[in-house]
Amino acid sequence: MESRTASGGSWDEAVSDHRRRQLLHIGRVATALVAAEGLAAVSMSRLAREAGVSRATLYNYVPDVATAIQRYLDAKDAAFARSVTTAVADEPGPVEKLRRYIREQVRYVAGGEHRAAVAVAEAGAALEGASSARAHQARQPAVLAAILAEGEEEGVFAPAAHGARAMLIGRLLYSAPELLFTHGLSEDEAAAAITDLALGGIAAGR
């Protein structure tokens, strides 16, 4: 028989929610520490102390500091994917949806916490797979592909392979941090520059 908590949920659900919140807390603390001091300067003992957990508990959640940051960034990206899908759905047509999608993406990568986590992940050779900034873009293809398909169906975007087009727009978005922090553009200016280039390349009848 499945045990229930006082709130009516199952014990397994409560444990799962607690683990998720603890992972986010550990990742948030790890990101702040490493952003301030560098990956090499933050040991698991230090992270456990700052996060308010024992070393044994910490190792039960993550094997190292870099993984704590990566999992935190993954969770933040998943939450962002849900929010951007909702935001885009409120727009009236594919052009407006693409503009909103790009604007939301630029705003997200401009956030200090995300920038710190990406910088840490990029610098941490212990992380496997694609770079975190590129991985963030790779997590959004379904939303972007749907926008591009809708634009083609309505005749406002020229026909093309959705996968290639989505990848290229993702590469444009990958340049957002450089536009913001190297060239000093505002979020609106960076979003406008990327949007103009994207729409100029996919508009029907160009």
Side-chain angles (χ1 to χ4, degrees):
M1 180 177 178
E2 185 180 41
S3 61
R4 312 296 292 181
T5 65
S7 62
S10 72
W11 176 253
D12 287 345
E13 289 171 346
V15 170
S16 177
D17 185 60
H18 172 75
R19 184 174 180 82
R20 180 187 61 81
R21 286 185 284 107
Q22 190 76 306
L23 271 170
L24 288 174
H25 168 65
I26 290 168
R28 189 180 299 114
V29 172
T31 297
L33 285 173
V34 175
E37 302 177 21
L39 186 61
V42 181
S43 66
M44 288 290 275
S45 296
R46 172 79 186 285
L47 177 55
R49 184 168 63 252
E50 296 293 336
V53 299
S54 69
R55 282 190 64 190
T57 297
L58 180 60
Y59 276 106
N60 194 37
Y61 281 93
V62 292
D64 50 54
V65 176
T67 301
I69 294 166
Q70 183 67 73
R71 290 182 181 175
Y72 177 62
L73 190 59
D74 287 344
K76 295 282 286 184
D77 279 355
F80 173 75
R82 293 190 293 270
S83 70
V84 77
T85 300
T86 300
V88 163
D90 291 335
E91 299 297 331
V95 172
E96 294 81 5
K97 288 178 180 177
L98 183 58
R99 289 186 184 278
R100 180 67 177 273
Y101 177 81
I102 292 173
R103 189 166 67 249
E104 294 291 335
Q105 289 276 5
V106 171
R107 182 175 298 131
Y108 181 63
V109 299
E113 193 172 62
H114 177 80
R115 284 190 286 121
V118 168
V120 168
E122 295 283 7
L127 296 174
E128 297 179 356
S131 72
S132 292
R134 293 186 190 279
H136 166 71
Q137 299 301 339
R139 292 186 183 98
Q140 318 300 323
V143 183
L144 183 54
I147 295 171
L148 297 174
E150 181 181 342
E152 287 190 22
E153 290 172 4
E154 295 189 9
V156 295
F157 297 159
H162 294 161
R165 180 172 281 171
M167 179 196 70
L168 291 171
I169 292 175
R171 292 296 178 89
L172 288 176
L173 286 164
Y174 182 65
S175 71
E178 185 175 358
L179 293 175
L180 292 163
F181 311 120
T182 301
H183 297 284
L185 273 64
S186 68
E187 289 179 24
D188 288 343
E189 290 170 336
I194 293 170
T195 301
D196 289 346
L197 191 56
L199 287 175
I202 67 177
R206 67 186 187 281

